[in-house]
Amino acid sequence: MEKFLVLYMAPASVIAEWMKTDPDTRKAAEEKMKGKWQEWMKKYEGQVIETAGAGKDKRITSEGITDATNDVMMYSLVEAESQDAAATLFEGHPHLGIPQAWIEVMPANALPVGA
């Protein structure tokens, strides 16, 4: 089995707009999506190693450290036989219910530590 990094993406502008939605409407929709996520997670619990939400960004460059914004909402580490097999797990994923959302799956190639 190989490991893959999965990024759950959505435009920051879409999320900012969503946060302006009536709190009761937003809560109901978020609870519904949370239920679908839990169903999905249970279905693939043997392959999903870790899932976590992304937080506020800090961008580090040679110029220094600044606040930043990107489109990463969450990430997962998953195990699968291949990248195509890993990608197939996410077809129809609840995250795709967010307008303009997408999911990226890439190999998580561990780098050797030390020499």
Side-chain angles (χ1 to χ4, degrees), residues 20-33:
K20 296 176 187 174
T21 303
D22 171 69
D24 292 333
T25 302
R26 194 173 73 228
K27 183 178 179 180
E30 288 170 351
E31 287 298 320
K32 183 177 179 182
M33 181 174 279

Side-chain angles (χ1 to χ4, degrees), residues 10-67:
S13 60
V14 169
I15 302 308
E17 194 62 33
W18 173 247
M19 297 308 288
K20 296 176 187 174
T21 303
D22 171 69
D24 292 333
T25 302
R26 194 173 73 228
K27 183 178 179 180
E30 288 170 351
E31 287 298 320
K32 183 177 179 182
M33 181 174 279
K34 182 179 176 183
K36 289 181 180 182
W37 261 85
Q38 289 172 341
E39 288 174 20
W40 184 90
M41 292 290 284
K42 187 171 184 132
K43 182 176 179 180
Y44 295 108
E45 66 185 333
Q47 291 178 271
V48 178
I49 300 167
E50 177 180 343
T51 297
K56 295 188 182 239
D57 302 339
K58 291 289 184 183
R59 183 167 293 145
I60 300 93
T61 67
S62 59
E63 312 288 310
I65 301 171
T66 59
D67 291 334

